Amino acid sequence: MKCSIPKGTRDFMPVEMARRNYIFDTIRSVFKTFAFEPIETPSLENLSTLMGKYGEEGDKLLFKVLNSGDFMKDVDFNQDYHKVAPQICERGLRYDLTVPFARFVVQHRDQITFPFRRYQLQPVWRADRPQKGRYREFYQCDADMIGSPSLLNELELVQMIDLVFQRLGIEVTVKINNRKILAGIADLIGAPDKLVDITVAIDKLDKIGLDNVRAELSERGLSQEQIVALDPIFNLNGSANQKLTQLQELFANIPTGLKGVEEMQTLFSLIEAVKPQCQIELDLTLARGLNYYTGAIFEVKAHHVSIGSICGGGRYDNLTGIFGMPDVSGVGISFGADRIYDVLNELNAFPAELGQSAHVLIINFGPSEQNYCLQIAALLRKSSIATLYYPEAAKMKKQMEFASKKGIPYVLFAGESEVANGTATIKDMASGEQTTLPIDQVAAHLLHQ
Amino acid sequence: MKCSIPKGTRDFMPVEMARRNYIFDTIRSVFKTFAFEPIETPSLENLSTLMGKYGEEGDKLLFKVLNSGDFMKDVDFNQDYHKVAPQICERGLRYDLTVPFARFVVQHRDQITFPFRRYQLQPVWRADRPQKGRYREFYQCDADMIGSPSLLNELELVQMIDLVFQRLGIEVTVKINNRKILAGIADLIGAPDKLVDITVAIDKLDKIGLDNVRAELSERGLSQEQIVALDPIFNLNGSANQKLTQLQELFANIPTGLKGVEEMQTLFSLIEAVKPQCQIELDLTLARGLNYYTGAIFEVKAHHVSIGSICGGGRYDNLTGIFGMPDVSGVGISFGADRIYDVLNELNAFPAELGQSAHVLIINFGPSEQNYCLQIAALLRKSSIATLYYPEAAKMKKQMEFASKKGIPYVLFAGESEVANGTATIKDMASGEQTTLPIDQVAAHLLHQ
């Protein structure tokens, strides 16, 4: 029988687990100091909760779970499979953490004190075509604050991003935009209905250049006049504040645009006051997740590594509206653990000591020293030292090879003479140095080395 | 639109998360000091990996995931649903952590150094009928050591169980049996083919009494002679060691039984040497998971609470055999986090401070004190103090009510005079006491209170 796992899924070996946990723990510790509270939602949601929330393409990517028992009963299979699927599957696997969170807030509104800050680190599933860096099961690390429209929330998200990547040792730029500015631009050129087309095209500016963006805008149904009217946007220059001042003038008669500029001016001055270490950039080409963002939009890019965004988020004014609870403003970010993993890997920036199994291996000399060794193991474990007592009285060579293969930094010998003297001999595997100590000093020795 | 989640699944609120994480962290910390290494396997496995591993009943309880795309293509729907299901579902949700671990070991055998100790804390899914304490999605916390037949492994599992429940403050009894002794008993009465029937009936001794057990054995096809021959087993008495000695005599001509007795004698003397705090009991009625256990069998019962076993496990000599890698002996345990949660709840034994969101709330007085408050927030967070700066300059009453509703133990005021003096005023919400301090002393004050 051949052993394999489904395409797009992964097994994680201990060393990968240690590295992933290093990322999760870092993110979690920052979420906690900003007083976010953890929640979890079920992996399985009713399909009715998920369907229609991620667009037509998203619906196709939902993993659907077959009803148990006789799922075929009363179902007409002479229909298109799109029609049959929801009749034989009532439940599906979570596609992201945002829609389940909206459902959670509405369902538990009476138990929640607003403003509410929650974080959630859980896997999500998408029936995407697997490719490098894209998986069918992957973790999202989300933090959202809801029930408060204050821009202090946006500020704190930037501070959290800054702190997470400081702690991980990754230099980043936080790109910020505002959906109201994008809407203002669409208004400015008299094409409010073309907001999406304009931002999708602008988003490609870096990749395809101005001429191609113009061609694409034309294809998307903008008139030459409208395209020319966009020129002042492409010609904005200077610092974030200077660009915002230029936009303010362009938006003289466009209230939405002005509101967006004002929000960004406030946010940038707040950010200036707290002096983050990361770079901050106003990026008017940033348009991610446009479907539900209504204010600030964030995206984080790592320096020195060519990879997509490693964190993103934004303000949404009506996410719970889809579940019948309108007017709850929220803002959140999502860290992409898998991409952060790839970045740390490429930068060779994981701490060296991650993924050690045992800190010390106690050599098994056989039954006569067994109780003595068990006593030492108990002492070390009491000091939270990861301790392995080799389970068989195998040949010394085999036990030493095991320690070296597993990268265990210390080996402890307690043979006849050590037992007689109440001592143990510790070998530092890196230096080869050996030290013999009374057993009550072994833990301290191993902890301070 | 009504919000709900699938039957048998759960949302976890922050306070429940804190309590669950307390359990997981305790278990994980013990696993680590015994040098177990973490792994994770995908939620989705190929159905061919899962089917046939849990018996006919288990197969029915597997959640199957519909193939994406046109799952109906080339499938004949004029068949029984049992036949159709595997044709439209290639993948299923993990049912336990043991079979995926066996698959993992076989698949990655070349990357694993044996003996290998792994732990795994992940959810599993079963399409069971939901009822009190039984869920369709729940966590298992497993630790297994494979590639070593030494009974030191069994000993360490007992030590780990002891340590976990010591740290959680739950008094427990670890019940131990051995599959070879059960096989010896079946041999003894000349009914080796009735091993399962005998143990299932014996297992009910406490519940239904000796007469009913005898009646059941008769129904299950044992002769009166065979049933009478069981009497010496029911009449065993004294300590574990005394019972084992009596068994040794009964098993004079039964090698399997003798081997089981010898294993138990060794294990009990090892356990005696390490002096665990928990109670240890030889329980010949213990027969759990008989299908793959081949040696020691463990089960843990909490004192003072009427609930099923909260941890269990055993030795299996051929788990990876189902995937074509024979002769790998392993032994493992699984902690039932949900039941442990219920026990701690019933004993009122969760630590009191769990589930605090913020340790301190900084009152928002408005824009003039804003930068000062942000500076204090940054200082406190640098000391890893969970700090919330109320995001709106709401009325004092509202902010204080928020702190009290959320159970935040300290509130920090930094108004006009504090800004002028470089101080902050901290109110202890429990005692009502107020202290004014220079801001560089606030973190230390909050940490030492």
Side-chain angles (χ1 to χ4, degrees), chain A residues 135-165:
Chain A
Y135 305 100
R136 289 185 157 182
E137 174 175 34
F138 58 97
Y139 267 78
Q140 291 195 333
C141 309
D142 283 23
D144 290 82
M145 33 244 285
I146 60 163
S148 161
S150 165
L151 288 165
L152 282 171
N153 295 302
E154 274 84 342
L155 170 69
E156 294 206 338
L157 291 182
V158 172
Q159 289 186 287
M160 286 162 65
I161 292 169
D162 186 42
L163 205 50
V164 164
F165 291 112

mmCIF file of all heavy atoms in Angstrom, chain A residues 135-165:
data_model
loop_
_atom_site.group_PDB
_atom_site.id
_atom_site.type_symbol
_atom_site.label_atom_id
_atom_site.label_comp_id
_atom_site.label_asym_id
_atom_site.label_seq_id
_atom_site.Cartn_x
_atom_site.Cartn_y
_atom_site.Cartn_z
ATOM 1 N N TYR A 135 -1.537 26.438 -0.875
ATOM 2 C CA TYR A 135 -1.958 25.158 -0.341
ATOM 3 C C TYR A 135 -3.478 25.080 -0.216
ATOM 4 O O TYR A 135 -4.157 26.093 -0.244
ATOM 5 C CB TYR A 135 -1.301 24.931 1.023
ATOM 6 C CG TYR A 135 0.199 25.046 0.944
ATOM 7 C CD1 TYR A 135 0.853 26.209 1.344
ATOM 8 C CD2 TYR A 135 0.952 24.003 0.411
ATOM 9 C CE1 TYR A 135 2.232 26.323 1.224
ATOM 10 C CE2 TYR A 135 2.326 24.104 0.288
ATOM 11 C CZ TYR A 135 2.959 25.277 0.700
ATOM 12 O OH TYR A 135 4.315 25.381 0.572
ATOM 13 N N ARG A 136 -3.978 23.868 -0.075
ATOM 14 C CA ARG A 136 -5.415 23.681 0.084
ATOM 15 C C ARG A 136 -5.824 23.750 1.547
ATOM 16 O O ARG A 136 -7.009 23.909 1.844
ATOM 17 C CB ARG A 136 -5.828 22.347 -0.545
ATOM 18 C CG ARG A 136 -5.751 22.420 -2.051
ATOM 19 C CD ARG A 136 -6.271 21.159 -2.707
ATOM 20 N NE ARG A 136 -6.679 21.467 -4.068
ATOM 21 C CZ ARG A 136 -7.222 20.580 -4.895
ATOM 22 N NH1 ARG A 136 -7.415 19.334 -4.493
ATOM 23 N NH2 ARG A 136 -7.586 20.936 -6.101
ATOM 24 N N GLU A 137 -4.870 23.576 2.419
ATOM 25 C CA GLU A 137 -5.095 23.789 3.852
ATOM 26 C C GLU A 137 -3.981 24.683 4.341
ATOM 27 O O GLU A 137 -2.805 24.336 4.180
ATOM 28 C CB GLU A 137 -5.073 22.455 4.617
ATOM 29 C CG GLU A 137 -5.166 22.635 6.124
ATOM 30 C CD GLU A 137 -5.269 21.303 6.895
ATOM 31 O OE1 GLU A 137 -4.681 20.299 6.467
ATOM 32 O OE2 GLU A 137 -5.953 21.280 7.914
ATOM 33 N N PHE A 138 -4.315 25.818 4.914
ATOM 34 C CA PHE A 138 -3.270 26.712 5.437
ATOM 35 C C PHE A 138 -3.839 27.541 6.585
ATOM 36 O O PHE A 138 -5.048 27.676 6.731
ATOM 37 C CB PHE A 138 -2.708 27.615 4.332
ATOM 38 C CG PHE A 138 -3.729 28.485 3.650
ATOM 39 C CD1 PHE A 138 -3.904 29.813 4.044
ATOM 40 C CD2 PHE A 138 -4.518 28.003 2.625
ATOM 41 C CE1 PHE A 138 -4.842 30.630 3.420
ATOM 42 C CE2 PHE A 138 -5.463 28.812 1.997
ATOM 43 C CZ PHE A 138 -5.626 30.117 2.381
ATOM 44 N N TYR A 139 -2.927 28.051 7.404
ATOM 45 C CA TYR A 139 -3.348 28.804 8.588
ATOM 46 C C TYR A 139 -3.517 30.286 8.283
ATOM 47 O O TYR A 139 -2.722 30.863 7.556
ATOM 48 C CB TYR A 139 -2.307 28.658 9.698
ATOM 49 C CG TYR A 139 -2.616 27.529 10.639
ATOM 50 C CD1 TYR A 139 -2.346 26.221 10.275
ATOM 51 C CD2 TYR A 139 -3.198 27.756 11.887
ATOM 52 C CE1 TYR A 139 -2.637 25.169 11.131
ATOM 53 C CE2 TYR A 139 -3.482 26.712 12.751
ATOM 54 C CZ TYR A 139 -3.202 25.428 12.367
ATOM 55 O OH TYR A 139 -3.497 24.385 13.209
ATOM 56 N N GLN A 140 -4.542 30.876 8.868
ATOM 57 C CA GLN A 140 -4.651 32.328 8.884
ATOM 58 C C GLN A 140 -4.509 32.793 10.335
ATOM 59 O O GLN A 140 -4.942 32.104 11.266
ATOM 60 C CB GLN A 140 -5.985 32.779 8.295
ATOM 61 C CG GLN A 140 -6.063 32.521 6.791
ATOM 62 C CD GLN A 140 -7.206 33.264 6.112
ATOM 63 O OE1 GLN A 140 -8.216 33.562 6.743
ATOM 64 N NE2 GLN A 140 -7.049 33.567 4.836
ATOM 65 N N CYS A 141 -3.905 33.961 10.511
ATOM 66 C CA CYS A 141 -3.720 34.553 11.840
ATOM 67 C C CYS A 141 -4.348 35.935 11.802
ATOM 68 O O CYS A 141 -3.735 36.881 11.329
ATOM 69 C CB CYS A 141 -2.237 34.680 12.169
ATOM 70 S SG CYS A 141 -1.307 33.167 11.921
ATOM 71 N N ASP A 142 -5.578 36.018 12.258
ATOM 72 C CA ASP A 142 -6.349 37.246 12.106
ATOM 73 C C ASP A 142 -6.539 37.972 13.428
ATOM 74 O O ASP A 142 -6.754 37.340 14.462
ATOM 75 C CB ASP A 142 -7.746 36.920 11.559
ATOM 76 C CG ASP A 142 -7.748 36.635 10.067
ATOM 77 O OD1 ASP A 142 -6.681 36.269 9.547
ATOM 78 O OD2 ASP A 142 -8.809 36.774 9.437
ATOM 79 N N ALA A 143 -6.493 39.298 13.373
ATOM 80 C CA ALA A 143 -6.873 40.123 14.517
ATOM 81 C C ALA A 143 -7.843 41.183 14.016
ATOM 82 O O ALA A 143 -7.562 41.852 13.020
ATOM 83 C CB ALA A 143 -5.651 40.777 15.145
ATOM 84 N N ASP A 144 -8.983 41.292 14.655
ATOM 85 C CA ASP A 144 -9.974 42.301 14.271
ATOM 86 C C ASP A 144 -10.471 43.036 15.500
ATOM 87 O O ASP A 144 -10.581 42.457 16.587
ATOM 88 C CB ASP A 144 -11.171 41.635 13.578
ATOM 89 C CG ASP A 144 -10.831 41.094 12.199
ATOM 90 O OD1 ASP A 144 -10.274 39.977 12.124
ATOM 91 O OD2 ASP A 144 -11.100 41.791 11.208
ATOM 92 N N MET A 145 -10.761 44.328 15.323
ATOM 93 C CA MET A 145 -11.375 45.105 16.384
ATOM 94 C C MET A 145 -12.682 45.645 15.842
ATOM 95 O O MET A 145 -12.704 46.321 14.808
ATOM 96 C CB MET A 145 -10.446 46.241 16.849
ATOM 97 C CG MET A 145 -9.554 46.865 15.781
ATOM 98 S SD MET A 145 -7.780 46.649 16.039
ATOM 99 C CE MET A 145 -7.421 47.790 17.347
ATOM 100 N N ILE A 146 -13.779 45.331 16.509
ATOM 101 C CA ILE A 146 -15.045 45.789 15.960
ATOM 102 C C ILE A 146 -15.844 46.571 16.984
ATOM 103 O O ILE A 146 -15.676 46.419 18.187
ATOM 104 C CB ILE A 146 -15.905 44.629 15.424
ATOM 105 C CG1 ILE A 146 -16.215 43.640 16.524
ATOM 106 C CG2 ILE A 146 -15.249 43.942 14.248
ATOM 107 C CD1 ILE A 146 -17.359 42.753 16.134
ATOM 108 N N GLY A 147 -16.705 47.442 16.457
ATOM 109 C CA GLY A 147 -17.544 48.260 17.316
ATOM 110 C C GLY A 147 -16.924 49.601 17.650
ATOM 111 O O GLY A 147 -17.368 50.264 18.582
ATOM 112 N N SER A 148 -15.916 50.010 16.913
ATOM 113 C CA SER A 148 -15.313 51.325 17.139
ATOM 114 C C SER A 148 -14.782 51.882 15.832
ATOM 115 O O SER A 148 -13.945 51.261 15.179
ATOM 116 C CB SER A 148 -14.160 51.223 18.138
ATOM 117 O OG SER A 148 -13.318 52.347 18.021
ATOM 118 N N PRO A 149 -15.265 53.085 15.433
ATOM 119 C CA PRO A 149 -14.795 53.679 14.180
ATOM 120 C C PRO A 149 -13.495 54.474 14.347
ATOM 121 O O PRO A 149 -12.954 54.973 13.369
ATOM 122 C CB PRO A 149 -15.945 54.629 13.807
ATOM 123 C CG PRO A 149 -16.554 55.016 15.119
ATOM 124 C CD PRO A 149 -16.327 53.871 16.079
ATOM 125 N N SER A 150 -12.973 54.557 15.576
ATOM 126 C CA SER A 150 -11.795 55.401 15.832
ATOM 127 C C SER A 150 -10.580 54.966 15.021
ATOM 128 O O SER A 150 -10.290 53.776 14.888
ATOM 129 C CB SER A 150 -11.462 55.351 17.320
ATOM 130 O OG SER A 150 -10.164 55.845 17.551
ATOM 131 N N LEU A 151 -9.843 55.948 14.505
ATOM 132 C CA LEU A 151 -8.629 55.649 13.744
ATOM 133 C C LEU A 151 -7.487 55.186 14.642
ATOM 134 O O LEU A 151 -6.453 54.717 14.152
ATOM 135 C CB LEU A 151 -8.199 56.869 12.919
ATOM 136 C CG LEU A 151 -9.107 57.162 11.718
ATOM 137 C CD1 LEU A 151 -8.848 58.559 11.172
ATOM 138 C CD2 LEU A 151 -8.901 56.124 10.620
ATOM 139 N N LEU A 152 -7.677 55.302 15.957
ATOM 140 C CA LEU A 152 -6.683 54.721 16.875
ATOM 141 C C LEU A 152 -6.565 53.223 16.640
ATOM 142 O O LEU A 152 -5.519 52.618 16.868
ATOM 143 C CB LEU A 152 -7.079 54.979 18.332
ATOM 144 C CG LEU A 152 -6.807 56.380 18.870
ATOM 145 C CD1 LEU A 152 -7.465 56.546 20.241
ATOM 146 C CD2 LEU A 152 -5.300 56.636 18.968
ATOM 147 N N ASN A 153 -7.654 52.602 16.217
ATOM 148 C CA ASN A 153 -7.615 51.173 15.911
ATOM 149 C C ASN A 153 -6.662 50.891 14.748
ATOM 150 O O ASN A 153 -5.841 49.977 14.813
ATOM 151 C CB ASN A 153 -9.023 50.674 15.577
ATOM 152 C CG ASN A 153 -9.962 50.776 16.765
ATOM 153 O OD1 ASN A 153 -9.703 50.216 17.817
ATOM 154 N ND2 ASN A 153 -11.047 51.523 16.604
ATOM 155 N N GLU A 154 -6.803 51.683 13.683
ATOM 156 C CA GLU A 154 -5.904 51.521 12.534
ATOM 157 C C GLU A 154 -4.458 51.717 12.984
ATOM 158 O O GLU A 154 -3.556 50.962 12.593
ATOM 159 C CB GLU A 154 -6.239 52.552 11.435
ATOM 160 C CG GLU A 154 -7.325 52.133 10.464
ATOM 161 C CD GLU A 154 -8.742 52.403 10.978
ATOM 162 O OE1 GLU A 154 -8.926 52.592 12.194
ATOM 163 O OE2 GLU A 154 -9.670 52.408 10.134
ATOM 164 N N LEU A 155 -4.240 52.741 13.820
ATOM 165 C CA LEU A 155 -2.889 52.991 14.320
ATOM 166 C C LEU A 155 -2.342 51.755 15.024
ATOM 167 O O LEU A 155 -1.197 51.345 14.791
ATOM 168 C CB LEU A 155 -2.898 54.173 15.298
ATOM 169 C CG LEU A 155 -1.572 54.357 16.063
ATOM 170 C CD1 LEU A 155 -0.472 54.824 15.126
ATOM 171 C CD2 LEU A 155 -1.723 55.305 17.244
ATOM 172 N N GLU A 156 -3.153 51.172 15.900
ATOM 173 C CA GLU A 156 -2.657 50.028 16.674
ATOM 174 C C GLU A 156 -2.369 48.828 15.771
ATOM 175 O O GLU A 156 -1.456 48.056 16.046
ATOM 176 C CB GLU A 156 -3.647 49.679 17.790
ATOM 177 C CG GLU A 156 -3.734 50.814 18.827
ATOM 178 C CD GLU A 156 -4.146 50.340 20.213
ATOM 179 O OE1 GLU A 156 -4.758 49.259 20.318
ATOM 180 O OE2 GLU A 156 -3.860 51.060 21.184
ATOM 181 N N LEU A 157 -3.149 48.672 14.708
ATOM 182 C CA LEU A 157 -2.837 47.593 13.770
ATOM 183 C C LEU A 157 -1.457 47.806 13.171
ATOM 184 O O LEU A 157 -0.667 46.855 13.049
ATOM 185 C CB LEU A 157 -3.900 47.516 12.669
ATOM 186 C CG LEU A 157 -5.284 47.029 13.117
ATOM 187 C CD1 LEU A 157 -6.225 46.953 11.917
ATOM 188 C CD2 LEU A 157 -5.189 45.659 13.788
ATOM 189 N N VAL A 158 -1.150 49.053 12.809
ATOM 190 C CA VAL A 158 0.174 49.348 12.252
ATOM 191 C C VAL A 158 1.249 49.060 13.306
ATOM 192 O O VAL A 158 2.293 48.466 13.002
ATOM 193 C CB VAL A 158 0.259 50.814 11.772
ATOM 194 C CG1 VAL A 158 1.690 51.173 11.376
ATOM 195 C CG2 VAL A 158 -0.696 51.041 10.606
ATOM 196 N N GLN A 159 0.981 49.435 14.546
ATOM 197 C CA GLN A 159 1.953 49.158 15.610
ATOM 198 C C GLN A 159 2.167 47.659 15.802
ATOM 199 O O GLN A 159 3.275 47.191 16.050
ATOM 200 C CB GLN A 159 1.467 49.769 16.934
ATOM 201 C CG GLN A 159 1.532 51.284 16.963
ATOM 202 C CD GLN A 159 1.171 51.820 18.351
ATOM 203 O OE1 GLN A 159 -0.001 51.785 18.743
ATOM 204 N NE2 GLN A 159 2.154 52.296 19.089
ATOM 205 N N MET A 160 1.074 46.906 15.690
ATOM 206 C CA MET A 160 1.181 45.452 15.848
ATOM 207 C C MET A 160 1.993 44.834 14.720
ATOM 208 O O MET A 160 2.851 43.966 14.941
ATOM 209 C CB MET A 160 -0.216 44.831 15.901
ATOM 210 C CG MET A 160 -0.917 45.088 17.224
ATOM 211 S SD MET A 160 -2.704 44.847 17.127
ATOM 212 C CE MET A 160 -2.804 43.121 16.792
ATOM 213 N N ILE A 161 1.707 45.286 13.501
ATOM 214 C CA ILE A 161 2.485 44.808 12.348
ATOM 215 C C ILE A 161 3.957 45.103 12.580
ATOM 216 O O ILE A 161 4.830 44.243 12.415
ATOM 217 C CB ILE A 161 1.988 45.494 11.045
ATOM 218 C CG1 ILE A 161 0.573 45.029 10.705
ATOM 219 C CG2 ILE A 161 2.956 45.238 9.902
ATOM 220 C CD1 ILE A 161 -0.104 45.833 9.597
ATOM 221 N N ASP A 162 4.221 46.341 13.011
ATOM 222 C CA ASP A 162 5.601 46.767 13.250
ATOM 223 C C ASP A 162 6.277 45.844 14.269
ATOM 224 O O ASP A 162 7.390 45.364 14.057
ATOM 225 C CB ASP A 162 5.578 48.209 13.757
ATOM 226 C CG ASP A 162 6.972 48.798 13.892
ATOM 227 O OD1 ASP A 162 7.798 48.562 12.986
ATOM 228 O OD2 ASP A 162 7.239 49.495 14.890
ATOM 229 N N LEU A 163 5.580 45.577 15.363
ATOM 230 C CA LEU A 163 6.147 44.788 16.453
ATOM 231 C C LEU A 163 6.370 43.334 16.044
ATOM 232 O O LEU A 163 7.402 42.736 16.356
ATOM 233 C CB LEU A 163 5.204 44.866 17.659
ATOM 234 C CG LEU A 163 5.815 44.632 19.033
ATOM 235 C CD1 LEU A 163 7.051 45.488 19.244
ATOM 236 C CD2 LEU A 163 4.775 44.938 20.121
ATOM 237 N N VAL A 164 5.376 42.749 15.340
ATOM 238 C CA VAL A 164 5.521 41.352 14.908
ATOM 239 C C VAL A 164 6.771 41.196 14.048
ATOM 240 O O VAL A 164 7.600 40.303 14.284
ATOM 241 C CB VAL A 164 4.271 40.875 14.119
ATOM 242 C CG1 VAL A 164 4.575 39.598 13.343
ATOM 243 C CG2 VAL A 164 3.101 40.657 15.069
ATOM 244 N N PHE A 165 6.936 42.094 13.069
ATOM 245 C CA PHE A 165 8.061 41.904 12.152
ATOM 246 C C PHE A 165 9.386 42.341 12.771
ATOM 247 O O PHE A 165 10.444 41.808 12.421
ATOM 248 C CB PHE A 165 7.768 42.568 10.802
ATOM 249 C CG PHE A 165 6.671 41.839 10.070
ATOM 250 C CD1 PHE A 165 5.425 42.418 9.863
ATOM 251 C CD2 PHE A 165 6.878 40.532 9.641
ATOM 252 C CE1 PHE A 165 4.406 41.723 9.236
ATOM 253 C CE2 PHE A 165 5.862 39.824 9.006
ATOM 254 C CZ PHE A 165 4.624 40.421 8.802
#
